[in-house]
Each structure stands twice: as structure tokens, then as C-alpha cells.
């Protein structure tokens, strides 16, 4: 009688899957602006609003641009236009759906934990950017509208919205 040899290869990925799932627990994606950058400062002013004391130099500059402040005006108030907090709150469900779609690819080994979070961060960034582009309240001051040519409070050159970054930690 002839003997038949059979070789069994074990393609057990369970240890790799567990390792990837553990990595998911220790990672996160951050969406925002580089610390200390001009864009971070501008975003913070829009996000939380600001009250800026009017100096003589500022008063002179604004007058030279055609905006004459009343003598009793001591501060310029920039209203809160929360695009990061509100935009991210509105995007959570969409980003969760994206995570649900991608988790199978992580388990299958087709997407690394880093790429998973980068993709989720990019999804969140895109949703926040859409929200910021559509934001129209509170409206710009008429002087600002005249200078910009539009009333979209967060869109001028596109620099603020375009500078938003994603960082995976």
C-alpha cells in the first residue's frame, strides 16, 4: 500500500489580529492646527471669539482703510464661530460609520492601525472643513463683507480651512 504524505500549514492570524486590535486601543487621530502656528491662533479666535482692545494705532489703521470707529469704541468684538467643536460633533456619526466599514479590513490585515486612524482623521477633517465652508452665522461685519467680497465668515483665501492637519499618535 502506498503512503500519502499530507502537510498542513497553519495560517492562524489570530495573534496578529489581537496585536492590531491592541494597537487600535493605544492610537488616536487628532484634527486641528500645528501648535503655535498663526493658523492655530486664527482658528482659536474664530472658535472662541475675541475681544480686542482698540489702540490708537489700530484706530488710525482702520480709519485709513475706511472704517471710522466711534470715539467711545474701546474694543472690537469678534464673535464665536465654533467650527472645530461643532463641526466635529456633527461629524461623529459619519466617522463612526466609516470606522465600522474599515474595521474588517484591519482584522483581515489589509489596513494597518496607523492607516485606519489616518483614514478616520481625514474623514473627520473633511467633515469639519465642509461645516466651516457652510458656516454663515454670525455674519461678518459689513466692512468685512465689503473687503472680502463675501459673507462667509471662515472663508477668505482658504488658508485657514486648508491648513487643518491630521496627526496619528
Amino acid at each position: 500500500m502506498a503512503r500519502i504524505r499530507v502537510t498542513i500549514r497553519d495560517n492562524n492570524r489570530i495573534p496578529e489580529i489581537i496585536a492590531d486590535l491592541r494597537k487600535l486601543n493605544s492610537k488616536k487621530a487628532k484634527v486641528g492646527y500645528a501648535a503655535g502656528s498663526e493658523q492655530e491662533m486664527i482658528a482659536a479666535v474664530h472658535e472662541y471669539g475675541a475681544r480686542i482692545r482698540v489702540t490708537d494705532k489700530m484706530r488710525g489703521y482702520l480709519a485709513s482703510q475706511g472704517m471710522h470707529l466711534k470715539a467711545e469704541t474701546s474694543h472690537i468684538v469678534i464673535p464665536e464661530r465654533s467650527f472645530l467643536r461643532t463641526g466635529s460633533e456633527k461629524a461623529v456619526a459619519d466617522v463612526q460609520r466609516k470606522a465600522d466599514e474599515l474595521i474588517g479590513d484591519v482584522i483581515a490585515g489589509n489596513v494597518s492601525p496607523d492607516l485606519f486612524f489616518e483614514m478616520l482623521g481625514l474623514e473627520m477633517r473633511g467633515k469639519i472643513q465642509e461645516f466651516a465652508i457652510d458656516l454663515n452665522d454670525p455674519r461678518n461685519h459689513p466692512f468685512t463683507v465689503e473687503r472680502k467680497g463675501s459673507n462667509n465668515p471662515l472663508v477668505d483665501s482658504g488658508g485657514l480651512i486648508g491648513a487643518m492637519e491630521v496627526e496619528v499618535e
Side-chain angles (χ1 to χ4, degrees), residues 13-155:
R13 287 201 63 253
I14 292 175
E16 292 171 45
I17 293 168
I18 291 170
D20 282 348
L21 293 176
R22 283 195 177 117
K23 285 179 189 173
L24 289 179
N25 283 332
S26 67
K27 295 213 168 277
K28 62 183 170 183
K30 292 168 50 176
V31 177
Y33 297 92
S37 69
E38 181 181 1
Q39 297 300 344
E40 180 193 39
M41 182 274 301
I42 293 168
V45 167
H46 284 293
E47 187 70 20
Y48 299 105
R51 183 175 154 94
I52 303 167
R53 189 175 66 78
V54 175
T55 64
D56 290 339
K57 183 177 180 181
M58 182 188 302
R59 189 177 300 279
Y61 172 76
L62 290 173
S64 76
Q65 299 300 306
M67 183 175 191
H68 301 281
L69 300 176
K70 296 177 184 173
E72 64 271 11
T73 301
S74 62
H75 289 82
I76 293 175
V77 176
I78 299 173
E80 177 179 309
R81 295 180 174 103
S82 173
F83 69 103
L84 291 168
R85 291 172 292 157
T86 306
S88 63
E89 287 170 10
K90 291 184 177 288
V92 167
D94 290 333
V95 174
Q96 184 60 57
R97 274 191 288 282
K98 185 69 149 181
D100 293 345
E101 290 172 16
L102 294 172
I103 194 68
D105 289 327
V106 175
I107 292 169
N110 299 328
V111 172
S112 71
D114 282 337
L115 181 57
F116 174 78
F117 277 100
E118 183 177 346
M119 292 167 79
L120 295 181
L122 290 170
E123 181 78 10
M124 178 65 80
R125 181 183 72 181
K127 296 293 181 184
I128 293 170
Q129 288 171 325
E130 287 173 15
F131 180 82
I133 290 167
D134 293 340
L135 186 69
N136 60 12
D137 188 53
R139 299 179 68 76
N140 280 325
H141 186 277
F143 178 76
T144 304
V145 172
E146 184 181 315
R147 291 180 61 91
K148 278 177 49 170
S150 75
N151 186 43
N152 190 318
L154 295 175
V155 177

